[in-house]
Amino acid sequence: MAKFDDYPKSLKKTLRYIKQDAPLAQLSHIETEVLNSIKNRKEALEKVKKVSL
């Protein structure tokens, strides 16, 4: 697993924002967006993996 310092600057800024400044109302929206993005990326990678087999 990568160290925090190895992540892209944009991700580090996002995580710091969530930890320090994000209000409760935004946390739910941020959570939904992040989870959807991760799900979509996993599905795309699985499709590529299946095609290359």
Side-chain angles (χ1 to χ4, degrees):
M1 181 167 245
K3 293 181 183 177
F4 182 77
D5 292 334
D6 294 337
Y7 290 129
K9 187 176 182 179
S10 59
L11 180 60
K12 290 190 284 188
K13 284 185 166 191
T14 301
L15 293 173
R16 286 188 180 119
Y17 174 74
I18 290 169
K19 290 179 182 180
Q20 297 173 3
D21 298 324
L24 184 58
Q26 277 189 341
L27 286 175
S28 295
H29 180 68
I30 292 170
E31 180 180 24
T32 302
E33 291 295 323
V34 168
L35 291 175
N36 284 338
S37 296
I38 291 171
K39 178 185 168 199
N40 291 340
R41 179 66 177 150
K42 283 182 177 181
E43 289 173 355
L45 289 172
E46 288 173 1
K47 281 183 182 178
V48 170
K49 184 178 178 182
K50 287 180 181 178
V51 170
S52 65
L53 292 177

